[in-house]
Amino acid sequence: MVCFRLFPVPGSGLVLVCLVLAVRSYALELNLTDSENATCLYAKWQMNFTVRYETTNKTYKTVTISDHGTVTYNGSICGDDQNGPKIAVQFGPGFSWIANFTKAASTYSIDSVSFSYNTGDNTTFPDAEDKGILTVDELLAIRIPLNDLFRCNSLSTLEKNDVVQHYWDVLVQAFVQNGTVSTNEFLCDKDKTSTVAPTIHTTVPSPTTTPTPKEKPEAGTYSVNNGNDTCLLATMGLQLNITQDKVASVININPNTTHSTGSCRSHTALLRLNSSTIKYLDFVFAVKNENRFYLKEVNISMYLVNGSVFSIANNNLSYWDAPLGSSYMCNKEQTVSVSGAFQINTFDLRVQPFNVTQGKYSTAQDCSADDDNFLVPIAVGAALAGVLILVLLAYFIGLKHHHAGYEQF
Protein backbone atom coordinates (compact mmCIF):
# COMPACT_ATOMS: atom_id res chain seq x y z
CA MET A 1 0.00 0.00 0.00
CA VAL A 2 1.25 3.48 -0.86
CA CYS A 3 0.27 6.61 1.07
CA PHE A 4 1.38 10.03 -0.10
CA ARG A 5 0.77 13.74 0.47
CA LEU A 6 1.62 16.90 -1.41
CA PHE A 7 2.07 20.01 0.69
CA PRO A 8 3.38 23.53 0.00
CA VAL A 9 6.64 25.05 1.06
CA PRO A 10 5.56 27.74 3.55
CA GLY A 11 4.80 30.97 1.75
CA SER A 12 5.18 29.56 -1.77
CA GLY A 13 1.83 28.03 -2.58
CA LEU A 14 -1.92 27.74 -2.00
CA VAL A 15 -3.56 24.52 -0.84
CA LEU A 16 -6.40 23.17 -2.96
CA VAL A 17 -7.75 19.88 -1.58
CA CYS A 18 -4.54 17.82 -1.57
CA LEU A 19 -2.72 19.60 -4.38
CA VAL A 20 -0.47 22.66 -4.23
CA LEU A 21 -0.12 25.55 -6.65
CA ALA A 22 3.58 26.13 -6.03
CA VAL A 23 5.83 28.77 -7.45
CA ARG A 24 9.14 26.90 -7.54
CA SER A 25 8.58 23.27 -6.71
CA TYR A 26 6.40 20.81 -4.87
CA ALA A 27 7.56 19.24 -1.65
CA LEU A 28 6.88 15.52 -2.01
CA GLU A 29 6.30 13.06 0.82
CA LEU A 30 5.99 9.30 0.57
CA ASN A 31 5.22 6.84 3.36
CA LEU A 32 5.48 3.35 1.93
CA THR A 33 4.04 0.49 4.01
CA ASP A 34 4.29 -3.29 3.79
CA SER A 35 1.58 -5.94 3.89
CA GLU A 36 1.28 -5.49 7.68
CA ASN A 37 0.78 -1.74 7.31
CA ALA A 38 4.20 -1.01 8.83
CA THR A 39 6.36 1.73 7.31
CA CYS A 40 9.21 0.25 5.27
CA LEU A 41 10.39 3.36 3.38
CA TYR A 42 9.93 7.03 4.12
CA ALA A 43 10.94 10.01 1.97
CA LYS A 44 10.29 13.74 1.80
CA TRP A 45 12.11 15.96 -0.67
CA GLN A 46 11.98 18.76 -3.21
CA MET A 47 13.23 18.60 -6.77
CA ASN A 48 13.04 20.32 -10.13
CA PHE A 49 14.56 19.76 -13.55
CA THR A 50 15.97 22.04 -16.24
CA VAL A 51 16.08 20.63 -19.77
CA ARG A 52 17.69 22.16 -22.84
CA TYR A 53 16.30 20.98 -26.19
CA GLU A 54 16.53 21.73 -29.89
CA THR A 55 13.56 23.23 -31.72
CA THR A 56 12.30 22.68 -35.26
CA ASN A 57 13.97 25.91 -36.44
CA LYS A 58 17.37 24.66 -35.19
CA THR A 59 17.54 26.94 -32.17
CA TYR A 60 17.66 25.88 -28.53
CA LYS A 61 15.25 26.46 -25.69
CA THR A 62 15.50 25.75 -21.97
CA VAL A 63 12.56 24.78 -19.80
CA THR A 64 12.38 24.26 -16.03
CA ILE A 65 10.01 21.57 -14.78
CA SER A 66 8.98 22.35 -11.21
CA ASP A 67 5.19 22.05 -11.19
CA HIS A 68 4.71 18.28 -11.06
CA GLY A 69 0.91 18.48 -11.14
CA THR A 70 -0.90 15.31 -10.08
CA VAL A 71 1.67 12.83 -8.76
CA THR A 72 1.38 9.05 -8.47
CA TYR A 73 3.79 6.55 -6.93
CA ASN A 74 2.94 3.41 -8.90
CA GLY A 75 5.79 0.89 -8.81
CA SER A 76 7.24 2.01 -5.46
CA ILE A 77 8.20 -1.06 -3.45
CA CYS A 78 9.57 -1.95 -0.03
CA GLY A 79 11.99 -4.46 -1.53
CA ASP A 80 12.52 -8.19 -1.07
CA ASP A 81 15.26 -10.80 -1.45
CA GLN A 82 15.44 -10.22 -5.21
CA ASN A 83 14.79 -6.49 -5.49
CA GLY A 84 15.80 -3.52 -3.37
CA PRO A 85 13.45 -0.72 -2.32
CA LYS A 86 12.40 1.73 -5.00
CA ILE A 87 10.65 5.09 -5.15
CA ALA A 88 8.79 5.54 -8.44
CA VAL A 89 7.13 8.87 -9.19
CA GLN A 90 4.94 9.68 -12.19
CA PHE A 91 3.78 13.18 -13.12
CA GLY A 92 2.53 14.93 -16.22
CA PRO A 93 2.21 13.27 -19.64
CA GLY A 94 5.15 10.87 -19.80
CA PHE A 95 7.33 12.23 -16.98
CA SER A 96 8.73 9.96 -14.28
CA TRP A 97 11.47 9.74 -11.66
CA ILE A 98 12.92 6.66 -9.92
CA ALA A 99 15.29 6.22 -6.97
CA ASN A 100 16.81 2.78 -6.27
CA PHE A 101 18.22 1.56 -2.94
CA THR A 102 20.54 -1.31 -2.06
CA LYS A 103 21.63 -2.85 1.23
CA ALA A 104 24.94 -4.07 2.66
CA ALA A 105 25.83 -5.59 6.02
CA SER A 106 25.63 -2.39 8.08
CA THR A 107 24.66 0.27 5.53
CA TYR A 108 22.14 1.01 2.83
CA SER A 109 22.73 3.13 -0.26
CA ILE A 110 20.85 5.52 -2.48
CA ASP A 111 22.18 3.63 -5.44
CA SER A 112 20.89 5.55 -8.45
CA VAL A 113 18.24 7.92 -9.76
CA SER A 114 16.72 8.24 -13.21
CA PHE A 115 14.57 10.94 -14.78
CA SER A 116 12.42 10.43 -17.88
CA TYR A 117 10.85 13.30 -19.79
CA ASN A 118 8.57 13.48 -22.80
CA THR A 119 9.59 15.92 -25.53
CA GLY A 120 6.35 14.99 -27.29
CA ASP A 121 4.49 17.06 -24.69
CA ASN A 122 3.92 20.27 -26.68
CA THR A 123 2.93 22.22 -23.60
CA THR A 124 6.30 21.68 -21.92
CA PHE A 125 8.44 21.37 -25.06
CA PRO A 126 6.86 23.54 -27.78
CA ASP A 127 8.36 23.04 -31.25
CA ALA A 128 10.73 20.27 -30.12
CA GLU A 129 12.67 18.82 -33.04
CA ASP A 130 12.81 15.27 -31.65
CA LYS A 131 9.67 13.79 -30.10
CA GLY A 132 9.73 10.95 -27.59
CA ILE A 133 10.60 9.90 -24.07
CA LEU A 134 14.23 10.39 -23.05
CA THR A 135 15.83 9.03 -19.87
CA VAL A 136 18.83 10.26 -17.90
CA ASP A 137 20.44 7.85 -15.40
CA GLU A 138 22.76 8.91 -12.59
CA LEU A 139 24.76 6.63 -10.28
CA LEU A 140 25.00 8.01 -6.73
CA ALA A 141 26.12 5.27 -4.30
CA ILE A 142 25.43 7.41 -1.20
CA ARG A 143 26.06 5.14 1.79
CA ILE A 144 24.03 5.57 4.99
CA PRO A 145 24.18 3.56 8.23
CA LEU A 146 21.27 1.15 8.63
CA ASN A 147 18.42 2.56 10.71
CA ASP A 148 19.58 6.15 10.12
CA LEU A 149 17.49 8.85 8.46
CA PHE A 150 19.41 10.59 5.67
CA ARG A 151 19.09 14.39 5.64
CA CYS A 152 20.39 16.88 3.07
CA ASN A 153 18.96 20.39 3.21
CA SER A 154 21.69 21.71 0.92
CA LEU A 155 21.21 21.95 -2.80
CA SER A 156 22.45 18.93 -4.76
CA THR A 157 22.84 19.24 -8.51
CA LEU A 158 23.27 16.57 -11.16
CA GLU A 159 23.97 17.42 -14.79
CA LYS A 160 24.02 15.09 -17.76
CA ASN A 161 22.92 15.20 -21.40
CA ASP A 162 21.45 18.73 -21.29
CA VAL A 163 19.45 17.89 -18.14
CA VAL A 164 20.13 19.56 -14.79
CA GLN A 165 18.50 17.95 -11.74
CA HIS A 166 18.16 19.90 -8.48
CA TYR A 167 17.36 18.35 -5.08
CA TRP A 168 17.08 19.96 -1.65
CA ASP A 169 15.37 19.51 1.74
CA VAL A 170 15.82 15.74 1.38
CA LEU A 171 14.79 13.29 4.09
CA VAL A 172 14.85 9.58 3.28
CA GLN A 173 15.14 6.24 5.02
CA ALA A 174 14.95 2.86 3.32
CA PHE A 175 14.85 -0.47 5.20
CA VAL A 176 12.92 1.14 8.09
CA GLN A 177 13.17 -1.08 11.19
CA ASN A 178 10.04 -2.08 13.12
CA GLY A 179 7.88 0.33 11.14
CA THR A 180 9.33 3.41 12.90
CA VAL A 181 11.30 6.10 11.10
CA SER A 182 14.58 6.74 12.92
CA THR A 183 15.27 9.94 14.84
CA ASN A 184 19.03 9.45 14.32
CA GLU A 185 20.03 11.55 11.31
CA PHE A 186 22.93 11.02 8.93
CA LEU A 187 23.87 14.32 7.24
CA CYS A 188 25.16 14.73 3.72
CA ASP A 189 28.65 16.25 3.35
CA LYS A 190 27.32 19.67 2.35
CA ASP A 191 25.18 19.91 5.47
CA LYS A 192 28.12 18.90 7.64
CA THR A 193 30.16 21.86 6.40
CA SER A 194 27.35 24.40 6.17
CA THR A 195 26.70 26.83 8.99
CA VAL A 196 23.34 27.80 7.48
CA ALA A 197 21.13 25.35 5.64
CA PRO A 198 20.79 26.77 2.11
CA THR A 199 17.13 26.56 1.11
CA ILE A 200 15.03 28.21 -1.55
CA HIS A 201 13.92 31.71 -0.50
CA THR A 202 10.25 32.00 0.37
CA THR A 203 10.36 35.47 1.96
CA VAL A 204 10.66 38.76 0.14
CA PRO A 205 13.16 41.24 1.59
CA SER A 206 12.30 44.90 1.22
CA PRO A 207 13.46 47.22 -0.13
CA THR A 208 15.71 46.01 -2.95
CA THR A 209 19.32 45.99 -1.81
CA THR A 210 22.00 47.70 -3.86
CA PRO A 211 24.94 45.44 -4.79
CA THR A 212 28.46 46.46 -3.87
CA PRO A 213 30.26 47.69 -7.02
CA LYS A 214 32.76 45.18 -8.34
CA GLU A 215 36.07 45.75 -10.05
CA LYS A 216 36.39 45.07 -13.76
CA PRO A 217 36.40 41.28 -14.36
CA GLU A 218 39.38 39.51 -15.86
CA ALA A 219 38.97 38.63 -19.53
CA GLY A 220 39.05 34.94 -20.39
CA THR A 221 39.63 33.20 -23.71
CA TYR A 222 37.25 30.38 -24.63
CA SER A 223 36.99 28.15 -27.67
CA VAL A 224 34.91 25.33 -29.15
CA ASN A 225 36.37 22.63 -31.38
CA ASN A 226 34.75 20.64 -34.15
CA GLY A 227 37.01 17.64 -34.48
CA ASN A 228 40.56 18.95 -34.70
CA ASP A 229 39.53 22.43 -35.87
CA THR A 230 38.51 25.43 -33.80
CA CYS A 231 35.02 26.54 -34.85
CA LEU A 232 34.25 29.22 -32.23
CA LEU A 233 36.44 31.78 -30.46
CA ALA A 234 35.48 34.13 -27.65
CA THR A 235 37.46 36.50 -25.45
CA MET A 236 35.59 38.48 -22.80
CA GLY A 237 35.37 39.59 -19.22
CA LEU A 238 31.97 38.68 -17.76
CA GLN A 239 30.11 40.27 -14.87
CA LEU A 240 26.71 38.88 -13.86
CA ASN A 241 24.03 41.15 -12.39
CA ILE A 242 21.36 39.07 -10.63
CA THR A 243 18.25 40.13 -8.76
CA GLN A 244 16.32 37.48 -6.86
CA ASP A 245 13.68 38.15 -4.22
CA LYS A 246 14.60 41.86 -4.39
CA VAL A 247 18.20 41.05 -3.45
CA ALA A 248 20.71 42.27 -6.05
CA SER A 249 24.18 40.79 -6.44
CA VAL A 250 27.13 41.27 -8.79
CA ILE A 251 29.32 38.28 -9.66
CA ASN A 252 32.56 38.42 -11.65
CA ILE A 253 33.32 35.24 -13.57
CA ASN A 254 36.83 33.93 -12.94
CA PRO A 255 38.15 32.57 -16.27
CA ASN A 256 40.78 30.50 -14.45
CA THR A 257 38.10 28.30 -12.88
CA THR A 258 35.63 28.39 -15.77
CA HIS A 259 35.44 25.69 -18.43
CA SER A 260 34.03 25.95 -21.94
CA THR A 261 32.26 23.46 -24.19
CA GLY A 262 29.82 23.86 -27.04
CA SER A 263 28.91 22.93 -30.57
CA CYS A 264 29.03 24.39 -34.07
CA ARG A 265 26.48 23.96 -36.84
CA SER A 266 25.92 25.68 -40.16
CA HIS A 267 23.40 28.19 -38.82
CA THR A 268 23.78 27.98 -35.03
CA ALA A 269 26.69 27.84 -32.59
CA LEU A 270 26.78 27.29 -28.84
CA LEU A 271 29.32 28.41 -26.26
CA ARG A 272 28.63 26.87 -22.84
CA LEU A 273 30.54 27.99 -19.73
CA ASN A 274 30.43 26.17 -16.40
CA SER A 275 32.19 26.22 -13.05
CA SER A 276 31.68 24.97 -9.51
CA THR A 277 28.74 27.37 -9.05
CA ILE A 278 27.54 27.87 -12.62
CA LYS A 279 25.93 24.71 -13.98
CA TYR A 280 25.72 26.30 -17.42
CA LEU A 281 25.88 29.74 -18.98
CA ASP A 282 24.94 29.39 -22.64
CA PHE A 283 25.59 31.85 -25.45
CA VAL A 284 23.72 30.76 -28.59
CA PHE A 285 24.57 32.44 -31.89
CA ALA A 286 22.56 32.32 -35.10
CA VAL A 287 22.92 33.30 -38.76
CA LYS A 288 20.49 35.80 -40.28
CA ASN A 289 19.98 36.67 -43.94
CA GLU A 290 22.76 34.20 -44.79
CA ASN A 291 25.38 36.93 -44.36
CA ARG A 292 25.44 38.05 -40.71
CA PHE A 293 25.58 36.48 -37.25
CA TYR A 294 24.30 37.67 -33.88
CA LEU A 295 23.79 36.58 -30.28
CA LYS A 296 20.26 35.15 -30.23
CA GLU A 297 19.95 33.35 -26.90
CA VAL A 298 21.36 33.29 -23.37
CA ASN A 299 20.51 30.63 -20.78
CA ILE A 300 21.84 30.32 -17.26
CA SER A 301 21.39 27.94 -14.34
CA MET A 302 23.49 28.48 -11.23
CA TYR A 303 23.16 28.34 -7.49
CA LEU A 304 23.76 31.35 -5.34
CA VAL A 305 25.57 31.65 -2.00
CA ASN A 306 22.35 30.89 -0.12
CA GLY A 307 21.93 27.63 -2.03
CA SER A 308 18.93 28.76 -4.08
CA VAL A 309 18.78 28.00 -7.78
CA PHE A 310 18.75 30.87 -10.25
CA SER A 311 17.64 29.94 -13.78
CA ILE A 312 16.78 32.29 -16.65
CA ALA A 313 16.44 31.75 -20.41
CA ASN A 314 15.81 34.16 -23.29
CA ASN A 315 15.91 33.03 -26.91
CA ASN A 316 14.79 36.31 -28.45
CA LEU A 317 17.87 38.50 -28.15
CA SER A 318 19.71 40.56 -30.75
CA TYR A 319 23.26 41.50 -29.71
CA TRP A 320 26.78 41.35 -31.19
CA ASP A 321 25.75 41.65 -34.83
CA ALA A 322 28.54 41.33 -37.43
CA PRO A 323 29.10 40.01 -40.97
CA LEU A 324 29.85 36.32 -41.45
CA GLY A 325 33.55 35.78 -41.92
CA SER A 326 34.43 38.51 -39.45
CA SER A 327 34.58 38.78 -35.65
CA TYR A 328 32.67 41.12 -33.36
CA MET A 329 34.70 43.32 -31.01
CA CYS A 330 33.81 45.76 -28.26
CA ASN A 331 36.50 46.91 -25.84
CA LYS A 332 34.23 49.11 -23.76
CA GLU A 333 31.67 47.84 -21.27
CA GLN A 334 28.45 46.56 -22.83
CA THR A 335 25.30 45.19 -21.20
CA VAL A 336 23.36 42.18 -22.47
CA SER A 337 19.91 42.45 -20.90
CA VAL A 338 18.59 38.90 -20.65
CA SER A 339 15.67 39.76 -18.36
CA GLY A 340 14.68 42.26 -15.70
CA ALA A 341 16.38 40.02 -13.15
CA PHE A 342 19.52 39.16 -15.11
CA GLN A 343 22.02 41.23 -17.09
CA ILE A 344 25.55 40.47 -18.25
CA ASN A 345 28.19 43.19 -18.43
CA THR A 346 30.93 42.38 -20.94
CA PHE A 347 34.42 43.87 -21.10
CA ASP A 348 37.16 43.55 -23.76
CA LEU A 349 34.82 41.47 -25.86
CA ARG A 350 35.73 39.70 -29.07
CA VAL A 351 33.79 36.78 -30.49
CA GLN A 352 33.63 34.80 -33.70
CA PRO A 353 31.14 31.90 -33.72
CA PHE A 354 31.38 31.03 -37.44
CA ASN A 355 34.02 30.63 -40.17
CA VAL A 356 37.06 30.55 -37.90
CA THR A 357 40.20 29.96 -39.99
CA GLN A 358 43.38 28.39 -38.57
CA GLY A 359 42.16 29.01 -35.02
CA LYS A 360 42.49 32.80 -35.36
CA TYR A 361 40.10 35.73 -35.32
CA SER A 362 39.15 37.34 -38.63
CA THR A 363 38.95 41.09 -39.16
CA ALA A 364 36.81 42.65 -36.44
CA GLN A 365 33.73 44.80 -36.71
CA ASP A 366 33.79 47.30 -33.87
CA CYS A 367 30.76 47.96 -31.74
CA SER A 368 29.07 51.37 -31.65
CA ALA A 369 30.61 52.02 -28.24
CA ASP A 370 34.07 51.73 -29.74
CA ASP A 371 32.99 53.81 -32.73
CA ASP A 372 32.34 56.64 -30.28
CA ASN A 373 36.01 56.45 -29.30
CA PHE A 374 37.01 57.02 -32.89
CA LEU A 375 34.71 60.04 -33.19
CA VAL A 376 36.68 61.97 -30.57
CA PRO A 377 40.02 62.13 -32.46
CA ILE A 378 38.14 62.66 -35.72
CA ALA A 379 36.25 65.61 -34.25
CA VAL A 380 39.46 67.06 -32.78
CA GLY A 381 41.26 66.60 -36.09
CA ALA A 382 38.40 68.24 -37.99
CA ALA A 383 38.44 71.21 -35.61
CA LEU A 384 42.20 71.63 -35.99
CA ALA A 385 41.86 71.40 -39.76
CA GLY A 386 39.18 74.10 -39.66
CA VAL A 387 41.40 76.38 -37.58
CA LEU A 388 44.30 75.79 -39.98
CA ILE A 389 42.13 76.69 -42.98
CA LEU A 390 40.97 79.89 -41.28
CA VAL A 391 44.59 80.84 -40.49
CA LEU A 392 45.62 80.22 -44.11
CA LEU A 393 42.67 82.22 -45.44
CA ALA A 394 43.49 85.11 -43.11
CA TYR A 395 47.13 84.95 -44.21
CA PHE A 396 46.33 85.04 -47.94
CA ILE A 397 43.76 87.82 -47.49
CA GLY A 398 46.27 89.84 -45.48
CA LEU A 399 48.97 89.19 -48.09
CA LYS A 400 46.69 90.33 -50.89
CA HIS A 401 45.85 93.58 -49.10
CA HIS A 402 49.57 94.11 -48.45
CA HIS A 403 50.37 93.86 -52.18
CA ALA A 404 47.46 96.16 -53.06
CA GLY A 405 48.92 98.85 -50.73
CA TYR A 406 52.28 98.77 -52.62
CA GLU A 407 50.56 99.20 -55.99
CA GLN A 408 48.95 102.51 -54.88
CA PHE A 409 52.41 104.09 -54.63
Side-chain angles (χ1 to χ4, degrees):
M1 179 177 66
V2 175
C3 302
F4 66 92
R5 294 183 293 155
L6 293 177
F7 60 94
V9 179
S12 66
L14 299 175
V15 177
L16 176 63
V17 190
C18 61
L19 298 179
V20 182
L21 299 178
V23 175
R24 287 186 175 86
S25 175
Y26 286 97
L28 306 176
E29 185 174 19
L30 167 67
N31 187 46
L32 190 62
T33 58
D34 58 21
S35 57
E36 297 179 356
N37 204 32
T39 298
C40 62
L41 188 153
Y42 175 78
K44 184 169 69 174
W45 74 104
Q46 294 196 66
M47 63 181 180
N48 64 30
F49 310 92
T50 300
V51 180
R52 184 175 182 273
Y53 67 98
E54 186 178 6
T55 66
T56 52
N57 60 0
K58 304 304 179 183
T59 61
Y60 288 87
K61 291 184 178 180
T62 302
V63 61
T64 297
I65 303 165
S66 57
D67 185 351
H68 307 310
T70 302
V71 177
T72 59
Y73 294 81
N74 299 326
S76 299
I77 58 174
C78 293
D80 51 33
D81 293 337
Q82 283 76 37
N83 301 291
K86 178 172 67 175
I87 299 174
V89 182
Q90 301 84 38
F91 55 95
F95 296 84
S96 62
W97 180 83
I98 294 174
N100 294 293
F101 301 84
T102 56
K103 181 181 178 181
S106 59
T107 62
Y108 69 95
S109 297
I110 306 174
D111 194 54
S112 62
V113 296
S114 65
F115 169 58
S116 298
Y117 57 99
N118 181 17
T119 56
D121 176 22
N122 292 325
T123 301
T124 307
F125 299 97
D127 304 322
E129 171 71 13
D130 299 318
K131 305 288 187 179
I133 295 178
L134 304 175
T135 300
V136 176
D137 298 308
E138 291 278 3
L139 295 176
L140 300 180
I142 301 173
R143 291 187 178 182
I144 306 153
L146 276 176
N147 204 32
D148 274 11
L149 176 69
F150 176 73
R151 175 186 290 276
C152 195
N153 291 330
S154 300
L155 178 72
S156 298
T157 303
L158 305 174
E159 182 177 5
K160 185 178 182 180
N161 297 343
D162 288 331
V163 176
V164 180
Q165 306 178 51
H166 299 123
Y167 303 94
W168 67 98
D169 290 345
V170 176
L171 281 173
V172 63
Q173 183 180 355
F175 304 99
V176 175
Q177 304 294 309
N178 303 320
T180 303
V181 176
S182 177
T183 57
N184 188 33
E185 295 184 349
F186 180 82
L187 301 181
C188 65
D189 291 339
K190 284 188 177 180
D191 278 13
K192 290 176 183 177
T193 58
S194 298
T195 56
V196 178
T199 57
I200 300 298
H201 275 300
T202 56
T203 59
V204 180
S206 182
T208 301
T209 60
T210 301
T212 303
K214 286 252 183 180
E215 67 278 3
K216 178 181 175 181
E218 179 183 351
T221 299
Y222 311 100
S223 63
V224 176
N225 292 332
N226 186 3
N228 295 325
D229 298 323
T230 300
C231 59
L232 184 152
L233 287 172
T235 303
M236 50 191 170
L238 297 173
Q239 187 176 81
L240 311 183
N241 292 269
I242 296 172
T243 303
Q244 181 165 281
D245 294 334
K246 292 190 177 181
V247 177
S249 58
V250 177
I251 301 169
N252 283 351
I253 290 184
N254 181 359
N256 299 316
T257 58
T258 302
H259 306 284
S260 63
T261 57
S263 60
C264 299
R265 300 188 180 183
S266 59
H267 286 76
T268 60
L270 164 69
L271 172 64
R272 166 170 287 190
L273 306 181
N274 62 79
S275 65
S276 59
T277 56
I278 299 173
K279 300 316 298 177
Y280 58 82
L281 172 56
D282 290 350
F283 297 89
V284 181
F285 301 87
V287 173
K288 66 178 180 180
N289 302 325
E290 300 297 329
N291 61 1
R292 300 186 72 87
F293 71 83
Y294 69 105
L295 177 65
K296 184 181 188 299
E297 181 178 348
V298 170
N299 309 308
I300 188 171
S301 182
M302 65 180 295
Y303 47 92
L304 306 179
V305 292
N306 61 8
S308 62
V309 180
F310 181 82
S311 297
I312 289 289
N314 189 336
N315 65 350
N316 193 30
L317 302 175
S318 184
Y319 292 96
W320 307 349
D321 188 303
L324 280 176
S326 68
S327 59
Y328 176 86
M329 184 172 69
C330 194
N331 289 324
K332 290 193 68 175
E333 178 180 358
Q334 271 193 321
T335 299
V336 175
S337 182
V338 182
S339 73
F342 180 50
Q343 300 84 38
I344 303 175
N345 295 336
T346 63
F347 302 81
D348 301 322
L349 170 69
R350 190 169 187 179
V351 63
Q352 185 171 346
F354 300 99
N355 301 342
V356 176
T357 303
Q358 296 180 346
K360 297 179 180 180
Y361 286 110
S362 300
T363 303
Q365 171 161 320
D366 295 303
C367 66
S368 57
D370 282 348
D371 291 341
D372 292 340
N373 288 340
F374 295 125
L375 291 177
V376 174
I378 290 173
V380 172
L384 291 175
V387 171
L388 180 60
I389 291 172
L390 289 175
V391 170
L392 290 174
L393 284 174
Y395 171 77
F396 286 118
I397 291 172
L399 185 63
K400 182 177 181 181
H401 287 168
H402 181 69
H403 282 293
Y406 277 117
E407 289 173 0
Q408 290 177 1
F409 290 100

